Amino acid sequence: QSALTQPPSASGSPGQSVTISCTGTSSDVGGYNYVSWYQQHPGKAPKVMIYEVSKRPSGVSKRFSGSKSGNTASLTVSGLQAEDEADYYCSSYAGSNNVIFGGGTKLTV
Amino acid sequence: QLQLQESGPGLVKPSETLSLTCTVSTGSIKSSDSNWGWIRRPPGKGLEWIGSIYYSGTTFYNPSLKTRVTISVDTSKDQFSLNLSSVTAADTAMYYCARSSTLLGHLDNWGQGTLVTVSS
């Protein structure tokens, strides 16, 4: 099972919006609504920002939103702030009791 | 807030077995609504799901690692463990333990991670 495809990098200026894509197949992203997004700052553990495609955990800023169309999921960060600069990973249930991650996107603000 | 902490050797020789333990505190591993997993991040690469276990002992493994991975649970110690056999340099990575509500669920509690280097 191949990793989900993410752009290696993304960038935006403070206050702008940026969208990160996560492309899979009909066997993973397209087949299930179990897509999650994780934020990881250097030296820190990942933190879930979005789960089940578009749900936001308690405490996560409303500036983070998720969506899905076909085999591609997206994470949008609006009103970019310096603290949003981090690596972002998507993950999806891939059937047959398997979970896969994307290769990660480095967001520069 | 649930706390997870990885422990184990930071250096493993090629062909040997990597063994890590995750200790769960401020909560119990014997939770019917918890799935306990291992994830790794090789240097310069993305995250990779290794596998997970319910406290009942039911396990799930990444197909690409399945022949080398064993995950087990010790409910008396609130710990779960990872064994990865026949390691090579490609297994050098930061290893994380984490919790989700189910195998399909998101990972909502993570350990801080432990770096394991495979080298002679």
Side-chain angles (χ1 to χ4, degrees):
Chain A
Q1 193 101 34
S2 301
L4 303 175
T5 301
Q6 296 181 235
S9 62
S11 64
S13 300
Q16 289 186 333
S17 293
V18 65
T19 297
I20 299 171
S21 63
C22 170
T23 300
T25 69
S26 58
S27 296
D28 38 68
V29 174
Y32 306 93
N33 287 323
Y34 290 106
V35 176
S36 302
W37 288 91
Y38 299 89
Q39 176 192 65
Q40 186 174 31
H41 288 109
K44 300 293 187 181
K47 173 187 175 184
V48 61
M49 307 302 283
I50 295 289
Y51 67 98
E52 292 177 17
V53 177
S54 60
K55 297 179 181 179
R56 215 174 21 250
S58 174
V60 171
S61 171
K62 292 180 179 179
R63 298 185 297 104
F64 290 84
S65 61
S67 63
K68 188 182 83 168
S69 177
N71 298 334
T72 298
S74 299
L75 172 72
T76 297
V77 186
S78 58
L80 277 172
Q81 299 179 1
E83 66 207 49
D84 300 330
E85 186 161 298
D87 292 328
Y88 291 84
Y89 295 91
C90 61
S91 77
S92 174
Y93 180 66
S96 302
N97 299 320
N98 189 25
V99 175
I100 56 174
F101 281 92
T105 297
K106 182 176 181 60
L107 175 60
T108 301
V109 179
Chain B
Q1 177 80 354
L2 201 61
Q3 292 186 0
L4 289 79
Q5 180 66 57
E6 306 86 351
S7 60
L11 181 64
V12 181
K13 290 182 168 56
S15 80
E16 295 190 345
T17 296
L18 178 161
S19 296
L20 296 174
T21 295
C22 182
T23 301
V24 178
S25 56
T26 64
S28 173
I29 204 167
K30 291 182 288 187
S31 172
S32 60
D33 65 347
S34 290
N35 179 261
W36 308 96
W38 287 98
I39 301 95
R40 68 181 183 180
R41 180 178 179 179
K45 296 187 178 181
L47 297 171
E48 179 179 33
W49 180 75
I50 299 171
S52 66
I53 189 168
Y54 285 105
Y55 86 94
S56 61
T58 300
T59 52
F60 309 95
Y61 297 133
N62 183 324
S64 67
L65 297 170
K66 188 173 185 176
T67 59
R68 298 195 292 130
V69 173
T70 302
I71 297 176
S72 58
V73 63
D74 185 338
T75 56
S76 67
K77 296 181 180 179
D78 279 326
Q79 295 177 336
F80 63 105
S81 299
L82 168 70
N83 278 355
L84 181 65
S85 64
S86 305
V87 297
T88 68
D91 295 309
T92 293
M94 184 71 78
Y95 285 77
Y96 299 94
C97 59
R99 177 223 171 256
S100 60
S101 57
T102 67
L103 175 63
L104 280 65
H106 59 286
L107 297 157
D108 54 13
N109 282 274
W110 294 68
Q112 283 301 301
T114 187
L115 178 62
V116 178
T117 301
V118 178
S119 174
S120 56

